[in-house]
Amino acid sequence: MGTLLTPEPATRERGYHRPGEGDHVPDGCQALPRGIRNLAKLAQQHGVPLRQSYARKAPEALLMVNRYAKAKQMKRKRRMTKRLKTYLGRVTRDIERKIEDAPDVTQTAFQQPLHQANRLLSQTRKSKNKLLSWHAPEVEVIGKGKVAKPWEFGVKVSVAVTNRESFVVGCRSMPNNPFDGHTLAETLEQTEILSGVAPKRCYVDRGYQGAAIPDVQVFRSGQKRGMSTRTLKRELKRRSAIEAVIGHMKTDGRMDRCRLKGALGDALNAVLVAAGHNIRLLLRAMPALLRRVLGRLRAVFDTGIRNQNLEPGMRAAAQRVIQDGLSIPRKSRGL
């Protein structure tokens, strides 16, 4: 690894139906009917009778929420969302009343689901650390500011690559949606641990405004001050190459959706995707390297044949054998 580094944040979505999919605001409407269904299912497993399970009414209300959101009828959408919260509150209070005298095993089984249900009931549009998914409470809403996708639901991932070769030397999940500039120190620390080399220069985008690391030069995209040499200008132009690397990691490496469970699954997925990207780079480079080695071997053998006192026919036959034996099909370049 060289001493040049390019970190960049990326967003990785979770591998399930996105919270609030079909909605135009990240208010967690999708989690409300999921909570009702899971509480009713858990109550049936532990023999807790419910006054009403809302197995039919909750999906209908969610369908109307999505339809009103699509039609930009926000008053009606809020009314149906309030109805979903009413259904969830009724089921939650009904279960809490009926498990007061239940065995400890039953109360322990309902402890976490009831806690999530109360979080859903108490949170508002402007609440922090909202519960957006029933099955993955660690999911966060990350504002992208794009027209096609204003929000993404998942966890932020910090990626660091070498400036010249684009090898991934650092990739870790960053829970709690931190500011980009606050993730730089942790990214450089992981890079130094994995590679054994401390980066000297670091090229980042404008989102890392104010980031400063001791003994490391940090250059931001579009920066003019301090760019005194052609080498720095050339290396800063290479910063945008990480965007293509992240794109390949999302499409070829499946980083666009994490299908591993929990925060540990997020961390494992980031490391495995980075390792897979580096392996693909090595596989693409191996045929060219092998072709170069065999080319040099063939040149050495040709020189040896020329130095031998052979007949023209024998010399041509030997050269054909060497050429056929030390050749690689061109199709191998597509590895």
Side-chain angles (χ1 to χ4, degrees):
M1 178 201 144
T3 59
L4 314 177
L5 198 66
T6 306
E8 178 78 9
T11 304
R12 178 188 52 205
E13 296 183 330
R14 294 295 300 179
Y16 50 79
H17 187 81
R18 285 194 294 273
E21 190 166 18
D23 302 345
H24 291 261
V25 289
D27 51 6
C29 294
Q30 190 74 31
L32 294 172
R34 294 288 181 93
I36 296 171
R37 186 180 66 183
N38 282 274
L39 284 175
K41 184 177 179 180
L42 192 61
Q44 184 179 8
Q45 291 175 355
H46 289 82
V48 178
L50 297 178
R51 294 175 59 249
Q52 189 173 352
S53 65
Y54 300 98
R56 181 177 57 86
K57 302 292 289 183
E60 291 179 358
L62 177 65
L63 179 63
M64 297 307 299
V65 167
N66 293 333
R67 286 180 175 177
Y68 288 144
K70 182 69 175 179
K72 306 292 186 181
Q73 299 176 5
M74 296 305 170
K75 284 188 177 181
R76 295 177 177 177
K77 175 186 175 298
R78 285 192 291 269
R79 185 175 70 241
M80 298 307 296
T81 303
K82 185 177 179 181
R83 186 173 300 179
L84 276 174
K85 283 192 173 185
T86 302
Y87 295 160
L88 179 62
R90 289 175 181 174
V91 173
T92 301
R93 291 187 294 271
D94 193 13
I95 292 176
E96 289 175 346
R97 285 193 301 267
K98 292 179 179 178
I99 65 172
E100 288 181 354
D101 300 330
D104 294 338
V105 178
T106 303
Q107 294 185 4
T108 303
F110 278 98
Q111 184 177 2
Q112 181 64 22
L114 289 177
H115 173 68
Q116 294 185 4
N118 289 322
R119 279 185 63 186
L120 284 174
L121 293 173
S122 61
Q123 70 186 15
T124 61
R125 180 186 176 94
K126 296 183 179 180
S127 299
K128 300 294 183 181
N129 301 321
K130 290 190 290 187
L131 180 64
L132 297 172
S133 175
W134 185 268
H135 295 288
E138 71 276 2
V139 168
E140 304 154 1
V141 55
I142 300 174
K144 303 297 290 185
K146 300 176 182 178
V147 176
K149 184 180 285 189
W151 298 278
E152 286 185 356
F153 301 92
V155 178
K156 184 177 288 188
V157 176
S158 181
V159 182
V161 303
T162 56
N163 188 266
R164 296 174 185 172
E165 301 86 3
S166 294
F167 272 96
V168 180
V169 291
C171 188
R172 62 184 302 173
S173 60
M174 298 291 180
N176 301 323
N177 190 17
F179 170 62
D180 293 347
H182 297 165
T183 64
L184 186 58
E186 297 181 13
T187 303
L188 296 182
E189 180 185 5
Q190 184 197 31
T191 300
E192 187 174 356
I193 292 173
L194 295 178
S195 63
V197 180
K200 297 293 174 47
R201 294 195 295 273
C202 181
Y203 301 92
V204 298
D205 63 5
R206 298 186 181 184
Y208 287 82
Q209 184 74 27
I213 305 297
D215 301 328
V216 179
Q217 291 180 298
V218 180
F219 298 96
R220 291 186 302 276
S221 178
Q223 179 175 337
K224 301 298 182 182
R225 180 177 299 178
M227 308 299 294
S228 55
T229 62
R230 293 183 179 180
T231 302
L232 293 178
K233 294 178 181 179
R234 183 177 65 250
E235 292 172 355
L236 185 59
K237 285 184 179 180
R238 280 282 303 168
R239 189 216 64 83
S240 59
I242 195 174
E243 305 292 349
V245 173
I246 293 175
H248 284 296
M249 292 174 67
K250 285 188 174 183
T251 55
D252 302 338
R254 311 287 181 85
M255 197 178 71
D256 55 341
R257 285 291 181 93
C258 178
R259 304 185 184 277
L260 303 180
K261 186 177 181 181
L264 179 60
D266 292 332
L268 291 175
N269 179 260
V271 175
L272 294 176
V273 169
H277 177 78
N278 291 338
I279 291 173
R280 285 192 297 273
L281 290 182
L282 293 175
L283 288 177
R284 292 192 184 100
M286 290 172 81
L289 178 61
L290 184 59
R291 189 175 295 109
R292 184 179 301 176
V293 172
L294 294 181
R296 293 192 177 185
L297 287 176
R298 187 166 59 186
V300 172
F301 290 148
D302 288 341
T303 304
I305 291 173
R306 293 193 192 97
N307 294 333
Q308 297 292 330
N309 295 325
L310 299 177
E311 297 180 357
M314 293 290 293
R315 182 176 298 176
Q319 289 178 349
R320 277 199 305 272
V321 170
I322 294 173
Q323 185 175 2
D324 294 339
L326 299 179
S327 62
I328 302 178
R330 289 293 176 180
K331 292 183 179 179
S332 62
R333 291 183 299 178
L335 288 176

